[in-house]
Each structure stands twice: as structure tokens, then as C-alpha cells.
Amino acid sequence: MNSKKSTIILVLAVMLLAVPAFAGKVSKMDKLSMTCGTTSATSINIMACAGPNTGAPAGFSLQWVSADQFALGPDGLPGTLDDGTWPDSSSLSLCKASFSGNANGSAYNLGRNACTTVQAGDNLFDDPGASSNCASIPLECSTDYVFRSFAHANSTLFRSDFSANLTCRTSECIVVDGCTFTQGYWKTHGPMPTGNNTNEWPVTELTLGNVSYTDLQLQSIFDTPAQGNGLISLAHQLIAAKLNIANGANDSSVAAAVAAADALIGNLVIPPVGSGSLAPSATSSLTATLTSFNEGSLGPGHC
């Protein structure tokens, strides 16, 4: 064997010896940091920031539970393991949301030290890139919630450790005649109610734009995630606003937004009843105003 071949073989042998037995993930994503943002009676905004070394390119997960439930401990039963630790992952009291950095239209691919704001509440249902076991469940007013998060793993790094716990509080309850409910409430208290709920809708049809829909068609719209279609997310809040108004809520603060939403929708037929579509940029302002009315930060207040 000549010296050149011997040298090549020696180099290859050294390279093979230098490769660790486990050549996959060798470290973790940085922990996330979180701060409380704006709140309503039914939702809390959380600002999540990625770490300085790895960021969170695959997105992150957020978990939350009421402070009262958190105090019960992992078994969720009073008087047993009341040690202030998180409920088991399978507990029905634990809300979990995943914000994918890889989903189409997602804003959750976070670079180093990058931050984003997400909302815990029933608007998660229409958030591109988000999935949650509590996507249609509004938070309770005047209630403390405990949050934690972790950055997702990718092909080279393990998921991060959990962040420090963060406690945030929803806005105070406002009990008045003609108060409002969120889209999540109306969705789960409609002609096809969820669980033990009953149908609380004050009408059996509504007009959105220039098109009339039966209550079952409206329910099907509620049950369809927006997935980046601004028409659907606008329709969810418009249906909720019109149900609130029909239920006795004063509409003086939102009448102009309702009229503008109807004008923008026009003859479009909302999925899944039809195939209409609008860009989120064309609907986001009206959707935000209607959401504020339904959540109680605008108008008579949330029930």
C-alpha cells in the first residue's frame, strides 16, 4: 500500500473515531421569557421572547391553568397534593396551545431575542399556526391564570426547559343588563351545543353582508377555522356581535363597525356554506373592533 493511500485511510479512521455515538441532538433550545400584556374579561395577551443563543425557529408551546386549579397540585383534588405544582399533562383543567414556526402563514418562527404576542382565549380558534385544546374557550373574568412555555425542538436541538411561571389576571367582571358574550360562548351555546350546554341563541337566522343564513349554517361557519381567510374570522366576530345585539346588548359603540363589515362582505358567501374569501389585511381592523365589543372592552361590557 503506497503512502498516499495509507494517509487517506488514517484520516478516515480518525474522522470515524471523532464522530460521537449519538450524532443527533446535542443541546437544547433556550428557555423563553414571558410578560403579561393587555387583557380583557375573557382573554390575556402574553408576550413570549426567544433566547439569545438559539431563538425558537420551530415555534413554542404555551400552557395555562387558573391559579386556583394550580394551587390544587397535579391531581387536581383539594386537600391531597396541594403543593402548587402543575396538573398532569392529561388533566382536563390544563389548557395547552402550540404555536408552530413551520405552519403556512405562521408568525412564530422566532429568531434570537425575537418576541411575539399571543392571546390565551377563544380567538386561538382563528390564529394561523396555532392549535389548542382550549381554542374555543374564553377565560373567566376577574381571575388569575398561571402560564408557562417552552420552545419546540427542531432537527438539531431538543425542546427547551419550561420557562418560569407567570401569573396574569383577566379584567374585572362587569354585570349589567345587555352585556356581551364572546364568539366561543355563542359557538358552544348554539343550535348544536357543546357538552351540557343548551341553545341560547335569540334568533334562528342572521344576514351577513347581503346573504341570509339559517342557524345551522351559522353554526357551521362558527365551527370552521379561519386558516388565514379574513372573511371567516370577520364572520365569527360579526355573528357573535349580532347575536349579542339581538340578545339585548347596546350596539351604539359598534353599529358603524357592524355596518362596515356587512358592506365589506357584500355578496360573498362565507365558507363552508360558500367559498368566499378576503385577505386578513382587509378585515383585521373591523375584526378587532367587533372582538373588543364581544369581549367587553368596548360597549356595555362582558357578561
Side-chain angles (χ1 to χ4, degrees), residues 170-201:
T170 51
S171 301
E172 297 305 306
C173 301
I174 302 174
V175 181
V176 296
D177 290 336
C179 51
T180 59
F181 293 100
T182 67
Q183 67 156 343
Y185 176 88
W186 290 119
K187 174 185 174 182
T188 56
H189 291 74
M192 298 180 66
T194 301
N196 294 324
N197 297 330
T198 58
N199 185 359
E200 304 292 339
W201 286 17

mmCIF file of all heavy atoms in Angstrom, residues 170-201:
data_model
loop_
_atom_site.group_PDB
_atom_site.id
_atom_site.type_symbol
_atom_site.label_atom_id
_atom_site.label_comp_id
_atom_site.label_asym_id
_atom_site.label_seq_id
_atom_site.Cartn_x
_atom_site.Cartn_y
_atom_site.Cartn_z
ATOM 1 N N THR A 170 -57.207 38.420 34.302
ATOM 2 C CA THR A 170 -58.172 38.990 33.365
ATOM 3 C C THR A 170 -58.824 40.229 33.974
ATOM 4 O O THR A 170 -58.762 40.466 35.174
ATOM 5 C CB THR A 170 -59.273 37.970 33.016
ATOM 6 O OG1 THR A 170 -59.815 37.434 34.223
ATOM 7 C CG2 THR A 170 -58.727 36.840 32.153
ATOM 8 N N SER A 171 -59.466 41.025 33.113
ATOM 9 C CA SER A 171 -60.138 42.238 33.576
ATOM 10 C C SER A 171 -61.312 41.902 34.479
ATOM 11 O O SER A 171 -61.819 40.773 34.481
ATOM 12 C CB SER A 171 -60.623 43.049 32.375
ATOM 13 O OG SER A 171 -59.541 43.399 31.539
ATOM 14 N N GLU A 172 -61.746 42.903 35.226
ATOM 15 C CA GLU A 172 -62.814 42.699 36.197
ATOM 16 C C GLU A 172 -64.143 42.375 35.511
ATOM 17 O O GLU A 172 -64.415 42.816 34.390
ATOM 18 C CB GLU A 172 -62.981 43.939 37.070
ATOM 19 C CG GLU A 172 -61.756 44.254 37.918
ATOM 20 C CD GLU A 172 -61.337 43.077 38.788
ATOM 21 O OE1 GLU A 172 -62.181 42.568 39.548
ATOM 22 O OE2 GLU A 172 -60.160 42.668 38.703
ATOM 23 N N CYS A 173 -64.963 41.611 36.194
ATOM 24 C CA CYS A 173 -66.295 41.270 35.693
ATOM 25 C C CYS A 173 -67.191 42.513 35.702
ATOM 26 O O CYS A 173 -67.113 43.332 36.624
ATOM 27 C CB CYS A 173 -66.940 40.199 36.561
ATOM 28 S SG CYS A 173 -66.016 38.655 36.681
ATOM 29 N N ILE A 174 -68.000 42.644 34.676
ATOM 30 C CA ILE A 174 -68.981 43.730 34.591
ATOM 31 C C ILE A 174 -70.345 43.084 34.404
ATOM 32 O O ILE A 174 -70.610 42.473 33.365
ATOM 33 C CB ILE A 174 -68.686 44.679 33.423
ATOM 34 C CG1 ILE A 174 -67.279 45.280 33.570
ATOM 35 C CG2 ILE A 174 -69.734 45.784 33.347
ATOM 36 C CD1 ILE A 174 -66.847 46.108 32.389
ATOM 37 N N VAL A 175 -71.186 43.179 35.403
ATOM 38 C CA VAL A 175 -72.506 42.551 35.330
ATOM 39 C C VAL A 175 -73.545 43.642 35.121
ATOM 40 O O VAL A 175 -73.869 44.409 36.028
ATOM 41 C CB VAL A 175 -72.809 41.753 36.609
ATOM 42 C CG1 VAL A 175 -74.175 41.091 36.505
ATOM 43 C CG2 VAL A 175 -71.725 40.710 36.852
ATOM 44 N N VAL A 176 -74.045 43.732 33.912
ATOM 45 C CA VAL A 176 -75.073 44.709 33.564
ATOM 46 C C VAL A 176 -76.076 44.042 32.639
ATOM 47 O O VAL A 176 -75.788 43.024 32.022
ATOM 48 C CB VAL A 176 -74.473 45.954 32.861
ATOM 49 C CG1 VAL A 176 -73.536 46.699 33.783
ATOM 50 C CG2 VAL A 176 -73.739 45.548 31.585
ATOM 51 N N ASP A 177 -77.255 44.642 32.547
ATOM 52 C CA ASP A 177 -78.214 44.154 31.564
ATOM 53 C C ASP A 177 -77.675 44.451 30.169
ATOM 54 O O ASP A 177 -77.087 45.500 29.919
ATOM 55 C CB ASP A 177 -79.561 44.854 31.761
ATOM 56 C CG ASP A 177 -80.258 44.409 33.039
ATOM 57 O OD1 ASP A 177 -79.955 43.292 33.508
ATOM 58 O OD2 ASP A 177 -81.074 45.189 33.564
ATOM 59 N N GLY A 178 -77.888 43.520 29.262
ATOM 60 C CA GLY A 178 -77.448 43.752 27.890
ATOM 61 C C GLY A 178 -75.962 43.625 27.710
ATOM 62 O O GLY A 178 -75.374 44.271 26.838
ATOM 63 N N CYS A 179 -75.284 42.801 28.525
ATOM 64 C CA CYS A 179 -73.848 42.593 28.383
ATOM 65 C C CYS A 179 -73.584 41.641 27.209
ATOM 66 O O CYS A 179 -74.505 41.119 26.591
ATOM 67 C CB CYS A 179 -73.264 42.052 29.683
ATOM 68 S SG CYS A 179 -74.147 40.619 30.343
ATOM 69 N N THR A 180 -72.310 41.403 26.928
ATOM 70 C CA THR A 180 -71.950 40.636 25.729
ATOM 71 C C THR A 180 -71.247 39.328 26.074
ATOM 72 O O THR A 180 -70.648 39.183 27.134
ATOM 73 C CB THR A 180 -71.029 41.463 24.814
ATOM 74 O OG1 THR A 180 -69.843 41.810 25.537
ATOM 75 C CG2 THR A 180 -71.731 42.721 24.335
ATOM 76 N N PHE A 181 -71.326 38.384 25.130
ATOM 77 C CA PHE A 181 -70.602 37.117 25.208
ATOM 78 C C PHE A 181 -69.646 37.026 24.022
ATOM 79 O O PHE A 181 -69.855 37.665 22.983
ATOM 80 C CB PHE A 181 -71.565 35.931 25.164
ATOM 81 C CG PHE A 181 -72.469 35.817 26.362
ATOM 82 C CD1 PHE A 181 -73.788 36.266 26.296
ATOM 83 C CD2 PHE A 181 -72.021 35.263 27.543
ATOM 84 C CE1 PHE A 181 -74.633 36.163 27.387
ATOM 85 C CE2 PHE A 181 -72.855 35.144 28.645
ATOM 86 C CZ PHE A 181 -74.166 35.600 28.573
ATOM 87 N N THR A 182 -68.618 36.188 24.151
ATOM 88 C CA THR A 182 -67.636 36.026 23.084
ATOM 89 C C THR A 182 -68.132 35.057 22.020
ATOM 90 O O THR A 182 -69.104 34.330 22.211
ATOM 91 C CB THR A 182 -66.314 35.483 23.641
ATOM 92 O OG1 THR A 182 -66.518 34.141 24.102
ATOM 93 C CG2 THR A 182 -65.794 36.352 24.797
ATOM 94 N N GLN A 183 -67.376 34.997 20.909
ATOM 95 C CA GLN A 183 -67.712 34.034 19.856
ATOM 96 C C GLN A 183 -67.649 32.611 20.393
ATOM 97 O O GLN A 183 -68.436 31.754 19.979
ATOM 98 C CB GLN A 183 -66.754 34.189 18.673
ATOM 99 C CG GLN A 183 -65.308 33.819 18.947
ATOM 100 C CD GLN A 183 -64.536 33.432 17.690
ATOM 101 O OE1 GLN A 183 -65.124 33.128 16.655
ATOM 102 N NE2 GLN A 183 -63.216 33.457 17.769
ATOM 103 N N GLY A 184 -66.713 32.328 21.319
ATOM 104 C CA GLY A 184 -66.621 30.977 21.868
ATOM 105 C C GLY A 184 -67.863 30.579 22.635
ATOM 106 O O GLY A 184 -68.299 29.426 22.581
ATOM 107 N N TYR A 185 -68.459 31.535 23.356
ATOM 108 C CA TYR A 185 -69.699 31.246 24.082
ATOM 109 C C TYR A 185 -70.818 30.932 23.096
ATOM 110 O O TYR A 185 -71.515 29.916 23.227
ATOM 111 C CB TYR A 185 -70.088 32.434 24.957
ATOM 112 C CG TYR A 185 -71.427 32.235 25.659
ATOM 113 C CD1 TYR A 185 -71.481 31.597 26.892
ATOM 114 C CD2 TYR A 185 -72.625 32.659 25.070
ATOM 115 C CE1 TYR A 185 -72.694 31.381 27.531
ATOM 116 C CE2 TYR A 185 -73.839 32.454 25.698
ATOM 117 C CZ TYR A 185 -73.877 31.817 26.925
ATOM 118 O OH TYR A 185 -75.078 31.608 27.538
ATOM 119 N N TRP A 186 -71.025 31.802 22.120
ATOM 120 C CA TRP A 186 -72.124 31.598 21.173
ATOM 121 C C TRP A 186 -71.910 30.322 20.349
ATOM 122 O O TRP A 186 -72.867 29.613 20.022
ATOM 123 C CB TRP A 186 -72.273 32.804 20.259
ATOM 124 C CG TRP A 186 -72.788 34.031 20.961
ATOM 125 C CD1 TRP A 186 -72.150 35.227 21.089
ATOM 126 C CD2 TRP A 186 -74.062 34.186 21.619
ATOM 127 N NE1 TRP A 186 -72.932 36.115 21.788
ATOM 128 C CE2 TRP A 186 -74.112 35.503 22.126
ATOM 129 C CE3 TRP A 186 -75.146 33.348 21.828
ATOM 130 C CZ2 TRP A 186 -75.211 35.994 22.819
ATOM 131 C CZ3 TRP A 186 -76.242 33.831 22.539
ATOM 132 C CH2 TRP A 186 -76.276 35.136 23.016
ATOM 133 N N LYS A 187 -70.662 30.024 20.028
ATOM 134 C CA LYS A 187 -70.368 28.816 19.263
ATOM 135 C C LYS A 187 -70.793 27.561 20.023
ATOM 136 O O LYS A 187 -71.312 26.608 19.437
ATOM 137 C CB LYS A 187 -68.868 28.768 18.950
ATOM 138 C CG LYS A 187 -68.407 27.477 18.283
ATOM 139 C CD LYS A 187 -66.892 27.479 18.134
ATOM 140 C CE LYS A 187 -66.394 26.150 17.597
ATOM 141 N NZ LYS A 187 -64.925 26.109 17.488
ATOM 142 N N THR A 188 -70.548 27.551 21.332
ATOM 143 C CA THR A 188 -70.834 26.353 22.125
ATOM 144 C C THR A 188 -72.218 26.358 22.750
ATOM 145 O O THR A 188 -72.588 25.411 23.443
ATOM 146 C CB THR A 188 -69.775 26.204 23.241
ATOM 147 O OG1 THR A 188 -69.754 27.399 24.041
ATOM 148 C CG2 THR A 188 -68.394 25.980 22.637
ATOM 149 N N HIS A 189 -72.988 27.437 22.517
ATOM 150 C CA HIS A 189 -74.364 27.527 23.040
ATOM 151 C C HIS A 189 -75.348 27.777 21.900
ATOM 152 O O HIS A 189 -76.315 28.507 22.053
ATOM 153 C CB HIS A 189 -74.478 28.650 24.079
ATOM 154 C CG HIS A 189 -73.748 28.381 25.358
ATOM 155 N ND1 HIS A 189 -72.381 28.453 25.453
ATOM 156 C CD2 HIS A 189 -74.204 28.024 26.592
ATOM 157 C CE1 HIS A 189 -72.018 28.176 26.699
ATOM 158 N NE2 HIS A 189 -73.094 27.899 27.404
ATOM 159 N N GLY A 190 -75.085 27.175 20.741
ATOM 160 C CA GLY A 190 -75.917 27.371 19.565
ATOM 161 C C GLY A 190 -76.837 26.207 19.289
ATOM 162 O O GLY A 190 -77.116 25.384 20.173
ATOM 163 N N PRO A 191 -77.297 26.082 18.045
ATOM 164 C CA PRO A 191 -78.244 25.004 17.701
ATOM 165 C C PRO A 191 -77.626 23.613 17.815
ATOM 166 O O PRO A 191 -78.352 22.624 17.865
ATOM 167 C CB PRO A 191 -78.624 25.330 16.255
ATOM 168 C CG PRO A 191 -77.519 26.193 15.740
ATOM 169 C CD PRO A 191 -77.042 26.989 16.910
ATOM 170 N N MET A 192 -76.283 23.542 17.843
ATOM 171 C CA MET A 192 -75.603 22.272 18.112
ATOM 172 C C MET A 192 -74.676 22.499 19.304
ATOM 173 O O MET A 192 -73.455 22.598 19.172
ATOM 174 C CB MET A 192 -74.822 21.812 16.870
ATOM 175 C CG MET A 192 -75.704 21.550 15.665
ATOM 176 S SD MET A 192 -74.792 21.008 14.213
ATOM 177 C CE MET A 192 -74.198 19.407 14.773
ATOM 178 N N PRO A 193 -75.252 22.595 20.512
ATOM 179 C CA PRO A 193 -74.459 22.971 21.697
ATOM 180 C C PRO A 193 -73.417 21.932 22.059
ATOM 181 O O PRO A 193 -73.535 20.756 21.727
ATOM 182 C CB PRO A 193 -75.525 23.106 22.786
ATOM 183 C CG PRO A 193 -76.664 22.263 22.326
ATOM 184 C CD PRO A 193 -76.655 22.338 20.830
ATOM 185 N N THR A 194 -72.382 22.405 22.749
ATOM 186 C CA THR A 194 -71.281 21.544 23.172
ATOM 187 C C THR A 194 -71.517 21.038 24.589
ATOM 188 O O THR A 194 -71.919 21.804 25.472
ATOM 189 C CB THR A 194 -69.957 22.319 23.123
ATOM 190 O OG1 THR A 194 -69.730 22.773 21.787
ATOM 191 C CG2 THR A 194 -68.794 21.436 23.552
ATOM 192 N N GLY A 195 -71.271 19.763 24.812
ATOM 193 C CA GLY A 195 -71.367 19.188 26.146
ATOM 194 C C GLY A 195 -72.758 19.326 26.736
ATOM 195 O O GLY A 195 -73.760 18.991 26.103
ATOM 196 N N ASN A 196 -72.811 19.870 27.963
ATOM 197 C CA ASN A 196 -74.084 20.032 28.661
ATOM 198 C C ASN A 196 -74.724 21.395 28.408
ATOM 199 O O ASN A 196 -75.712 21.744 29.064
ATOM 200 C CB ASN A 196 -73.879 19.841 30.165
ATOM 201 C CG ASN A 196 -73.473 18.419 30.514
ATOM 202 O OD1 ASN A 196 -73.942 17.464 29.889
ATOM 203 N ND2 ASN A 196 -72.594 18.268 31.496
ATOM 204 N N ASN A 197 -74.163 22.173 27.492
ATOM 205 C CA ASN A 197 -74.734 23.486 27.183
ATOM 206 C C ASN A 197 -76.077 23.339 26.473
ATOM 207 O O ASN A 197 -76.403 22.277 25.926
ATOM 208 C CB ASN A 197 -73.784 24.288 26.293
ATOM 209 C CG ASN A 197 -72.458 24.587 26.977
ATOM 210 O OD1 ASN A 197 -72.410 24.721 28.194
ATOM 211 N ND2 ASN A 197 -71.395 24.690 26.209
ATOM 212 N N THR A 198 -76.837 24.421 26.467
ATOM 213 C CA THR A 198 -78.108 24.462 25.742
ATOM 214 C C THR A 198 -78.061 25.559 24.701
ATOM 215 O O THR A 198 -77.174 26.424 24.719
ATOM 216 C CB THR A 198 -79.279 24.722 26.707
ATOM 217 O OG1 THR A 198 -79.056 25.965 27.398
ATOM 218 C CG2 THR A 198 -79.393 23.594 27.722
ATOM 219 N N ASN A 199 -78.993 25.548 23.793
ATOM 220 C CA ASN A 199 -79.071 26.568 22.744
ATOM 221 C C ASN A 199 -79.582 27.875 23.354
ATOM 222 O O ASN A 199 -80.725 27.951 23.798
ATOM 223 C CB ASN A 199 -80.001 26.099 21.625
ATOM 224 C CG ASN A 199 -80.040 27.068 20.449
ATOM 225 O OD1 ASN A 199 -79.380 28.115 20.475
ATOM 226 N ND2 ASN A 199 -80.801 26.730 19.421
ATOM 227 N N GLU A 200 -78.737 28.896 23.366
ATOM 228 C CA GLU A 200 -79.085 30.192 23.938
ATOM 229 C C GLU A 200 -79.258 31.276 22.871
ATOM 230 O O GLU A 200 -79.422 32.442 23.206
ATOM 231 C CB GLU A 200 -77.989 30.633 24.928
ATOM 232 C CG GLU A 200 -77.696 29.660 26.053
ATOM 233 C CD GLU A 200 -78.855 29.532 27.033
ATOM 234 O OE1 GLU A 200 -79.705 30.455 27.080
ATOM 235 O OE2 GLU A 200 -78.912 28.507 27.749
ATOM 236 N N TRP A 201 -79.236 30.886 21.599
ATOM 237 C CA TRP A 201 -79.310 31.899 20.549
ATOM 238 C C TRP A 201 -80.689 32.565 20.544
ATOM 239 O O TRP A 201 -81.724 31.873 20.586
ATOM 240 C CB TRP A 201 -79.047 31.286 19.188
ATOM 241 C CG TRP A 201 -77.600 30.938 18.955
ATOM 242 C CD1 TRP A 201 -76.628 30.815 19.898
ATOM 243 C CD2 TRP A 201 -76.991 30.663 17.700
ATOM 244 N NE1 TRP A 201 -75.438 30.474 19.304
ATOM 245 C CE2 TRP A 201 -75.627 30.377 17.961
ATOM 246 C CE3 TRP A 201 -77.452 30.621 16.383
ATOM 247 C CZ2 TRP A 201 -74.723 30.064 16.937
ATOM 248 C CZ3 TRP A 201 -76.556 30.307 15.367
ATOM 249 C CH2 TRP A 201 -75.208 30.042 15.645
#
